[in-house]
Each structure stands twice: as C-alpha cells, then as structure tokens.
Amino acid sequence: VGRPKFTSDRMYEVTPPGVIMGLAWTAMGGSALYIETVLKRPVDLTNDKDGSIETTGNLGDVMKESVRTALTVAKGILAREQPDNKFFDKAHIHIHVPEGATPKDGPSAGVTLVSSLLSLALDRPVVQDMAMTGEISLTGKVLPVGGIREKVIAARRVGAKRVFLPNENRRDFDDLPEFMKSELDIRFVSHYDELYEHLFQ
Amino acid sequence: VGRPKFTSDRMYEVTPPGVIMGLAWTAMGGSALYIETVLKRPVDLTNDKDGSIETTGNLGDVMKESVRTALTVAKGILAREQPDNKFFDKAHIHIHVPEGATPKDGPSAGVTLVSSLLSLALDRPVVQDMAMTGEISLTGKVLPVGGIREKVIAARRVGAKRVFLPNENRRDFDDLPEFMKSELDIRFVSHYDELYEHLFQ
Amino acid sequence: VGRPKFTSDRMYEVTPPGVIMGLAWTAMGGSALYIETVLKRPVDLTNDKDGSIETTGNLGDVMKESVRTALTVAKGILAREQPDNKFFDKAHIHIHVPEGATPKDGPSAGVTLVSSLLSLALDRPVVQDMAMTGEISLTGKVLPVGGIREKVIAARRVGAKRVFLPNENRRDFDDLPEFMKSELDIRFVSHYDELYEHLFQ
C-alpha cells in the first residue's frame, strides 16, 4: 500500500513559539500535522513597507485561503489583546506544513493556523501536548470538520493530552467507543476565544 | 451521499457588524449562507495609501466580480448617506464566506455583500433574523435569482423572520404552497434602497 | 431548456446618467443589454494620481478590449466638445454589464460603451427609449454587427422607440418583413458623431 502519508507522527517533543500540533485526516487514517510558522527576517517596526506571508508544504487552494483567513483572525485577536503591537503589519512570515511531498488541503487546520500565528507574534510557546482541529470563520467561529474518529485515534497515539474539537463535532466524538475517549482531555469550542484562553501558560 | 454541503446552517444566533445572513441554493437544497466582512487592521484615515479588499471562501469568478460590484454600490450609498465618511477609501477589508471547502459562485449574494460592507462601514449590526438574496446591478437594482423555493425553505428552517427577495421573483414565491409561505415576513424589492431602509434599527 | 439568459429585459424604465440601453444577441435570441457606468468615488481634479477603469459582468477578452477602445473614443469626443474637462484624466470609473452570471463577449457594444462613458462624464441622462448597437473603431467609425433581426425584435419587445444601427447593416434591416420594421425610428450611422448629436436633449 506504499509508505504512510505522514511518516513522523510526533515530530516535536517540545514545540517552540510558532509551532502547533494539529490533526489531519487522510486516506491512511489520522495523524498529527504540525504547522510551523517562522519569521523570514527580524521584524523591523520602523520600516514603512508592509509585511508578507509565504506558505509551503504542498498546500491546496482551500488551505491557502485558510491561511489568509487565519491571518485576519490572528490580527484581530492581537489588536484586541495588545493594541500597540504592530507585529502583523511588518512581519515577514513563512508558514510551512511538513511533510513537503504530501499534498494537504481543506479548511480544518484553521484554528491551528491562527494559534501558530499568535504564538509567533507573541514569541511564546503554547501549552505542550495539546492538539487541535477546526475550521475557522473570519469572526473566529470554530466550524465542524471531518474525520473526528481518526483524529482522536491519532491524538492518543502521539501522546496528546488535551485536544480541542469544534463544538459541532460533539456528537461525532460521543459516538466513539469508550476506550477511545478515555485519558484524553477533550475541549469542545464554538469560538476561537474559548481555545485562546488555554493557549498559553 | 456524503455530508451536506453546508453543515452549520444557523452559524450565528446574533450577527455582529459586517456579518449578514444570505441564502444559498445548492444541489443539496437551500441553506443559510453568511457573508463575513471584517477589517484587517484599524482604519487609518490619515494614511495616504488606498484601502484594499480581499476575498476567501472558495469563490468562483462570477462571485468575485459580484464582490467588486457590491463594493462600488456600497461606496455610492455611503457617499450619499455620509458624504464625509472616507471609510471605503482607506479600509483594508476582508470578505469571507464560510464554509471554506464548499465552492460558491454566482451573483445572487449581491445584496448580501452590499449589506455586509455597509454594516461594517457604519459599525452597526443589522436587524437580527433577517435574510436576503438577490443579484445587484451597479446602480443598485435588485435582479432575480434562482432557487426561491429552496431558499424560502432554508430561511424557515434557520428561523429567519424577515426575508428580502427580488421583486422579479414574486411569481416564484407566489407559486409555493401556502404552508411554506406562512410565518415569513417576505419583502420584495426592486432596488437596494428599499432594503437599505430596513437594514438597521 | 432552463431559464432565459437575460431575465429582466427592460431593467430600466428611466436610465440615469451613465446607463445606456444596448442590444445583445445570444443563442436564446435578442435582448436589451444595459451598460451601467458609475463613479467609484467623487472626481477629485486636484489629485495628481490618474483615474482608472474597472469592468465586471463576466466580459470576455474582446469585450474588455472594446471597453478600452470606447474609453479612448469617448476621451477624444470630450476633448473636442469640452477641451477643459479633465473628467477622464481623474475619474475612477466602474463599468458593469448585468446580469453577472451571463458570459458576454464581442465588440458590438462599442457605441453603447462610448455613450455610457460620455453620459457619465457629462452627468446627463441620454434620450429615453433609445437603443443602439455597433462596433466602434478608434476613430469613431461604426462597424457592422451580427444579429440585426434578433436585436430589432428585442428593441420592439422592450419598447425602444429609436434604434441606432450601423450603416453597413442597412441591408440586413431592409430584408426584415415589414411588420418587424414598423413603429421603430431606425437611424443608420457610419460614424459615432452621427449618433452623438442625438444622444442628449
């Protein structure tokens, strides 16, 4: 059947600022899917040129749009939390999704993308052993995604402790057998703010 | 048969400024289709650079053009209502149509797009439980659209109370069985101004 | 057979400045085809930036070029009629052709486009119940177009009183049965100036 789609499930023992563990769902089953976000150069707030965003990782059109949606959401949250922080105006940001040969698409990494952007902007690593999945709307609503069963199995396998799922997927989770649900701290969210308050510390 | 195209029919219990409930018509039937319009950064009226508009949500070419038409119409209305308001000259606007994986096209969200832009520009939420559909012409005429039956069923299902339809679709509505028409406050409009007067308060 | 290509034949009872009734010819027959031209913002003659032109309405490449040709012709006429009028240097113009989902192409809206631009530039509505069709050359020559029979039928149906046709289409018109030709005031023109003198008042 060929090699598995994602070969290195737990890529990070500890995630640095800008890196978030998401969950993917492929024909091969679920897997951890990291979003890596880094600065292409130090931020120069005195520069009058605008920042930029670059994406790599064999992303399809829907996922590329999801990056742009996530950026607007992250900007809005940073503007609310730190009104004087001009990071997103000036930063030259690169978002990569390993592994580069594996095509990835769909909107379900929305919350993961927002989180990676905020983690980079604030230069803070997020709470470890946390995974997440969910489409993001432009106002921060978290919309349901597919593959809950496969993603929960993957989260257990890679040792995630807390998993954020869209509230509208609650029934998909409830339908799983008990042994799959034990030991995981599942948090259902309907708006990104409910996730954000658990992102750091 | 797979999951329905639009899974979260009533995404918003209360819509904030910039968000409007439209009505879509797909092979799966009708559904609520929200337009989300937000600022990418605070408006800086002293900046001499022009604003911009970005769209996401898997929109086809006709719908992308519909956004541009809607923007010109909204600009004209704001110039008439608040001649000194330079919002559209300077604002960096992002329009998103959830859900990101679902392809959307056609001109029938025209009036919804105009409304979301005006709601954002005036920073006012619109009247709640109101839905709308209709193509917009550059001078504000409201042109007929397809799928009236499916859209009316969807409007009832999601709990819309007042629905704006193009005047030229009146016959399509009249042909519906009585039980579908009851309880809805239907308003037929031939020009956007007839809708605008009911948009706020 | 689906719904007709153009559903709202007589979109305007009265056309405002910038809006002209043209005539289109599709696989479904002839129809009125309005050109809508509006300002995206008030003209600022003191601004040192040039104006711009934007088009929407699912226009093909030939029709987009026709817009550019029409703009040059309109500029030349305005420069001759009102040498001090700098409207076209500074105006930000949006040209839209409803209905947005219907693909449109070809050069036969040339004279209609020139007329809509001049009507907007002079801020004057044109004579009502007038329709026109004809390709425009860069020096203002009016060239023959297809579908004269269908366009004449459409002009009658929507209540046009005077119709401008290219002089080189005279034989196509003469071949029509008498009952189609009655009641219409047909004007054959070989240069746009012959149309322009009847455009206003």
Side-chain angles (χ1 to χ4, degrees), chain C residues 171-184:
Chain C
R171 211 167 57 184
D172 300 316
F173 181 79
D174 289 344
D175 287 348
L176 298 181
E178 274 312 312
F179 75 91
M180 280 193 198
K181 295 189 275 189
S182 62
E183 287 165 45
L184 280 177

Side-chain angles (χ1 to χ4, degrees), chain C residues 14-101:
Chain C
V14 176
T15 53
V19 178
I20 308 285
M21 192 203 295
L23 297 166
W25 175 40
T26 73
M28 311 291 299
S31 75
L33 179 79
Y34 288 88
I35 306 288
E36 299 180 319
T37 302
V38 308
L39 283 173
K40 291 163 73 175
R41 62 181 80 162
V43 177
D44 177 2
L45 295 174
T46 65
N47 197 315
D48 59 356
K49 269 186 267 182
D50 283 348
S52 64
I53 194 151
E54 177 177 10
T55 56
T56 50
N58 211 342
L59 310 187
D61 288 344
V62 170
M63 194 160 178
K64 283 182 187 162
E65 284 204 341
S66 189
V67 169
R68 291 162 50 201
T69 307
L71 180 60
T72 297
V73 172
K75 280 180 181 175
I77 292 169
L78 190 67
R80 180 189 71 202
E81 299 289 323
Q82 300 191 358
D84 297 329
N85 191 328
K86 302 299 178 202
F87 178 87
F88 285 122
D89 294 344
K90 299 298 177 191
H92 294 273
I93 296 168
H94 187 156
I95 297 183
H96 178 66
V97 191
E99 306 172 2

Side-chain angles (χ1 to χ4, degrees), chain B residues 48-50 62 65-66 68-69 72 75-76 79 86 89 106-107 135-141 143-146 168, chain C residues 3 7-8 11-12 16 19 36-41 49 54-59 94-96 98-101:
Chain B
D48 60 355
K49 269 187 265 181
D50 283 348
V62 170
E65 283 204 338
S66 190
R68 291 161 53 201
T69 307
T72 296
K75 280 181 183 177
K86 302 298 177 204
D89 293 345
E135 176 171 349
I136 194 89
S137 98
L138 202 56
T139 62
K141 298 232 176 229
L143 307 183
V145 297
E168 289 197 46
Chain C
R3 54 200 281 264
T7 49
S8 43
M11 244 181 84
Y12 287 87
V19 178
E36 299 180 319
T37 302
V38 308
L39 283 173
K40 291 163 73 175
R41 62 181 80 162
K49 269 186 267 182
E54 177 177 10
T55 56
T56 50
N58 211 342
L59 310 187
H94 187 156
I95 297 183
H96 178 66
E99 306 172 2

